[in-house]
Amino acid sequence: AWYERTITIPRDWTGRRISLEVEYRNSYAIVHVDGRQVGQIRFPAGQVDLSGVVRPGATHVLSLFVVAMPLRAVMESYNNTNTAVEQQGRVERRGLCGDVWLVAEPTGARLGTVKLDTSFRRSEVTFRAEVKGLAVGSHYRLHARILEQGRQVAEFAGPDFTDADVTDGYATFTASWKPPKLWDIHTPENQYEAQVSLLDAAGR
């Protein structure tokens, strides 16, 4: 399927990195701006940098060509008998299944996807953050806050790192923490919010 929309880039986005964010699509999308192919996004989500093809204050035509791609062209089905029967592969939810929006970000160092892994047994929490646009040789660190209903209950600072310390685009650090309230099936209200920031050597 083709999806198309006319977009206007806000004038105050001058000097910022402008990208297209696709929340969920199934399975593969080719992104065009004014008829020119500018990027691709694969299942399940992704981002395409549009900074080089759009201008703040200008109007553009954004088009997405989305293809539903099954994991296999031919699937084996055992629904009826013990004998496998081949059938054509299908994709149940096809096309754009989530929101699509434009994002303006600073052009320098910035965060991408952030993931948290917790261990009750070790009383630890691991912060894994995707970092982009790091200056070669410059020092950075991750700073994390844990909030409960807007009130800070814990704060952590990771060690300094440079672009050479980043693995597969992610910076990681682990801190000791045992939450005062634990989540369980009978206490689903016990949830916390995490805020993670990327700081430079000056702490900004």
Side-chain angles (χ1 to χ4, degrees):
W2 278 96
Y3 300 82
E4 187 170 277
R5 181 169 180 176
T6 300
I7 58 173
T8 300
I9 310 300
R11 293 184 180 276
D12 59 0
W13 284 11
T14 300
R16 300 178 68 85
R17 178 181 181 270
I18 302 171
S19 60
L20 178 73
E21 185 85 26
V22 179
E23 182 182 48
Y24 183 83
R25 48 81 196 84
N26 207 353
S27 307
Y28 170 75
I30 303 175
V31 181
H32 299 79
V33 174
D34 298 331
R36 171 186 172 189
Q37 181 176 330
V38 297
Q40 304 173 11
I41 303 176
R42 299 183 181 276
F43 175 86
Q47 190 179 83
V48 172
D49 189 349
L50 304 181
S51 303
V53 294
V54 299
R55 291 183 298 105
T59 298
H60 302 274
V61 176
L62 173 68
S63 308
L64 277 76
F65 178 57
V66 183
V67 180
M69 302 171 63
L71 296 177
R72 292 176 57 188
V74 176
M75 307 292 290
E76 292 184 347
S77 173
Y78 293 85
N79 290 339
N80 298 322
T81 67
N82 292 327
T83 303
V85 177
E86 288 190 349
Q87 62 182 16
Q88 185 176 356
R90 295 181 299 174
V91 178
E92 296 297 332
R93 289 170 292 278
R94 297 174 288 180
L96 296 180
C97 305
D99 291 332
V100 179
W101 62 90
L102 293 175
V103 178
E105 302 172 299
T107 56
R110 60 193 183 277
L111 289 174
T113 302
V114 175
K115 300 179 180 179
L116 271 70
D117 292 316
T118 58
S119 173
F120 174 80
R121 180 174 59 85
R122 296 191 300 269
S123 297
E124 290 180 347
V125 55
T126 297
F127 299 90
R128 187 169 184 262
E130 184 182 17
V131 289
K132 305 176 182 179
L134 302 184
V136 176
S138 294
H139 287 260
Y140 302 91
R141 66 175 179 268
L142 296 176
H143 178 267
R145 300 171 64 222
I146 305 296
L147 308 176
E148 181 185 14
Q149 297 181 352
R151 180 179 60 87
Q152 180 174 304
V153 296
E155 184 176 19
F156 310 101
D160 286 4
F161 67 90
T162 68
D163 60 302
D165 301 314
V166 175
T167 302
D168 296 329
Y170 283 83
T172 304
F173 80 95
T174 299
S176 297
W177 184 57
K178 188 172 184 178
K181 298 179 182 180
L182 299 178
W183 182 95
D184 208 332
I185 56 174
H186 60 280
T187 54
E189 70 278 4
N190 290 344
Q191 298 187 31
Y192 296 92
E193 175 187 351
Q195 295 180 353
V196 179
S197 303
L198 176 64
L199 307 180
D200 59 17
R204 297 193 295 267

